[in-house]
Amino acid sequence: MCGIIGYIGSEPVTPILMQGLKSLEYRGYDSAGIALVDGGKVFICKRPGKLSRLEECLKSKIIKGNVGIGHTRWATHGEPNQVNAHPHFGDNYDFMIVHNGIIENHQVLKTELIKEGHKFKSQTDTEVIAHLIEKYYRGDLAKTVCKVIKLLKGSYALGVISRLQPNVLVGARKDSPLIVGVGKTGNFIASDVPAILSYTREAIYLDNNEVVELTEKKITIYDISGRPVHKKKVLIKWDVKSAKKGGFTHFMMKEIHEQPQVLRNILKGRIRNKRVVFEQLKFPEKQIKKIDNIQIVACGTAYHAGLCGKYILEKLVQLPVSVDNSSEFRYRDQIIKKDRTLVITVSQSGETADTLAALRAAKLKGAKILSVCNVIGSSIARESDGVVYIHAGPEIAVASTKAYTAQLATFYLLAIYMGMVRKTLNFKSADKLLKVFTKVPALMEKIIAEQGKVKSVAQKYIRKYHYRLAEQLKFLENEVKVFKDARKALAFAKVCAQKSYSAYGRRFGDFPFLYLGRNINYPSALEGALKLKEITYISAEGYAAGEMKHGPIALIDEFPLVVCIAPKSKIYDKMLSNIREIKARKGVVLAIATKGDREIRKKEYSDFLIQIPDIDEFFSPLLVALPLQLLAYFIAVGLGCDVDQPRNLAKSVTVE
């Protein structure tokens, strides 16, 4: 979840660390810090809050050194403050450490160390590691780290430097990502590729229980027992430009705009001679023919892509498909048939902790694992039987956009391929589907070109939101004037808070959204609601439209905005019936419908209308995704929210 960068070489280390941290800030922005070693001298600077606070601190300091580590934090143990910020160190400042992950047995280890006289300064689990290294160090930092990690339970990616060995940088990993960058003027460790792209495109991916020792000109990798391990370098195909904003105000908007090209690249790379090809699938056709059920496992946005994948696979492959949240899948009694159950894990980063744990649990029971992910060489990709890379490029904004539609695109192609192999889909039908699919990127571009219509809807909502807020403040101000002392005013405020969701006080409560969809666009409703929650902090819920009468209809009055996903489809009339029920209760409807639909334009159906180009219902989730993303984006910008770095969230969830 946190971001780690380390460098050792001939260049000044501070600018490299800060550039790396800027590229990793999407992984955590509660606090940040760096530590450097210059000969026998140590420099440490860390600050709570955004990276800009650390930058401000460093402006007034003269810093020297060619080896150092940096960290941007997403808090797990201890509140985000200066003491809990990384790097951490032992009693004598001999060893500095940065850490991503969770040490589950840290309390037991800490108790033992305190008995031995060690003094702890922070509330974090990480500080335990620094004290353990201090305890066991006998002149070789890499060997000491090998010894210490044997004592740790949980997950970790570590970066360690020492003033006792100022020409060495050590890294280690278990269940949290850590890569090694091979540079011309030195070498790197980092949590993710963007941190090193400005300096090198050659990387080595560490596996679990491996330790790396770096000097300016040498890289040595060991297993947990200290035996050397040979690893091959990988060429990173991303470039620096793809990891920068490129003139856009936010990464999220840049990544929304990149979706048509991402899909073009996927289609170009996967379709040859009117057939779908997967070079790295590693699944023999006879194995695909043996499968009799599929289980999709994922978290967050990837889970919604998996839900949509269920509809796609069941239609084209004619197999039963179940979809689970990764965090639930691993704790229930999965019914898996050895070699006959295919588990598809979906993860943008390929490092999602719950999905990785679910993969391992399924594999132990004999399932075949196929992974859909974005990051080449990631843990999930390496531990799967087969992998389909979505090739979306680096996605920096916390709220996923282009990875989502790339995951959807991959499910369509995978289903067509498997349908052909299993003969549930003939060549003529597959060719017809592919012809429609290849039109999608151009249709996406039309939606992006007309984004002003979505922005207009968002602005109307924001004006209503601000008007309501002003009305609420005026109401409270007038009522509080009635009271002569603060105690009575406070009591009245509590009553107002309690009534904010009651019939009496509803108009002064939250302003929630409902998202409704049917059939293959039910997952679109869930994803639209998630996007809004992630970046605006507005309460939003997604529902299958047919379930509205079973509870959600109680929420409908003149204040919530109900987003109804109603493109041309076989269940279009059912959706219109749901909209009529909403309007009968004075609900405000934003309809996402097919261009040219005259019926839904009527006031009896929609207060606001966003149109998407005409396309077969089967492929409509790829188009519906864009106005949902744009709506959340424009509302977030209008409300002054931090779009790329929403509070409490980080891009890659590498801890449970």
Side-chain angles (χ1 to χ4, degrees), residues 255 259 262-263 266 299-309 346 348 372 374 390 392 395 399-412 444 520-528 530-531 620-626 628-629 651:
E255 289 157 9
Q259 289 174 105
V262 167
L263 257 67
I266 290 171
C299 300
T301 287
Y303 171 73
H304 298 153
L307 283 172
C308 201
V346 190
Q348 187 281 137
V372 176
N374 192 31
I390 63 174
E395 190 178 62
S400 180
T401 52
K402 65 176 181 176
Y404 174 68
T405 48
Q407 288 161 354
L408 292 184
T410 300
F411 271 116
Y412 284 110
M444 283 181 157
I520 200 167
N521 275 306
Y522 161 52
S524 300
L526 297 175
E527 175 60 13
L530 178 62
K531 283 291 146 290
S620 62
L622 287 164
L623 300 187
V624 166
L626 273 70
L628 294 174
Q629 294 165 0
K651 183 65 183 173

Side-chain angles (χ1 to χ4, degrees), residues 263-264 267-268 271 413 431-443 615 619:
L263 257 67
R264 280 198 183 93
L267 291 166
K268 185 179 179 181
I271 301 174
L413 292 173
D431 185 46
K432 186 178 178 181
L433 287 167
L434 290 174
K435 282 178 179 175
V436 177
F437 196 1
T438 54
K439 295 176 182 177
V440 170
L443 298 179
I615 195 170
F619 290 103

Side-chain angles (χ1 to χ4, degrees), residues 299-445:
C299 300
T301 287
Y303 171 73
H304 298 153
L307 283 172
C308 201
K310 170 184 169 71
Y311 288 89
I312 297 165
L313 289 163
E314 287 184 340
K315 180 179 177 68
L316 301 185
V317 188
Q318 298 291 296
L319 283 174
V321 181
S322 62
V323 188
D324 269 290
N325 290 113
S326 305
S327 55
E328 292 298 319
F329 176 86
R330 61 180 296 207
Y331 293 115
R332 68 175 177 81
D333 294 325
Q334 311 100 352
I335 300 172
I336 289 173
K337 300 176 186 177
K338 186 177 180 181
D339 294 333
R340 302 189 76 86
T341 295
L342 174 65
V343 172
I344 301 177
T345 62
V346 190
S347 167
Q348 187 281 137
S349 67
E351 301 291 351
T352 310
D354 285 317
T355 304
L356 188 55
L359 180 158
R360 291 167 179 164
K363 207 168 184 180
L364 281 173
K365 290 196 170 186
K368 290 295 179 182
I369 311 295
L370 174 63
S371 288
V372 176
C373 71
N374 192 31
V375 180
I376 294 171
S378 58
S379 298
I380 286 174
R382 292 200 305 274
E383 295 191 31
S384 301
D385 297 301
V387 60
V388 179
Y389 290 114
I390 63 174
H391 297 302
E395 190 178 62
I396 306 301
V398 167
S400 180
T401 52
K402 65 176 181 176
Y404 174 68
T405 48
Q407 288 161 354
L408 292 184
T410 300
F411 271 116
Y412 284 110
L413 292 173
L414 185 63
I416 292 170
Y417 172 79
M418 291 179 68
M420 291 284 286
V421 170
R422 294 177 61 87
K423 301 191 184 305
T424 56
L425 193 64
N426 60 38
F427 178 81
K428 185 177 179 181
S429 298
D431 185 46
K432 186 178 178 181
L433 287 167
L434 290 174
K435 282 178 179 175
V436 177
F437 196 1
T438 54
K439 295 176 182 177
V440 170
L443 298 179
M444 283 181 157
E445 286 173 338

Side-chain angles (χ1 to χ4, degrees), residues 14 18 21-22 25 32-34 43 45-63 82:
T14 305
M18 293 307 295
L21 290 179
K22 285 179 183 178
E25 198 176 8
I34 63 170
F43 173 83
C45 184
K46 47 187 187 174
R47 288 291 183 272
K50 295 288 183 74
L51 191 59
S52 56
R53 294 194 63 186
L54 178 63
E55 285 183 295
E56 197 62 35
C57 166
L58 294 173
K59 281 181 182 177
S60 60
K61 300 184 184 300
I62 299 172
I63 310 162
Q82 188 160 329

Side-chain angles (χ1 to χ4, degrees), residues 455-465 607-608:
K455 186 175 183 179
S456 176
V457 173
Q459 288 172 336
K460 287 174 183 176
Y461 164 78
I462 292 162
R463 283 197 294 271
K464 192 170 183 179
Y465 177 90
D607 299 275
F608 306 104

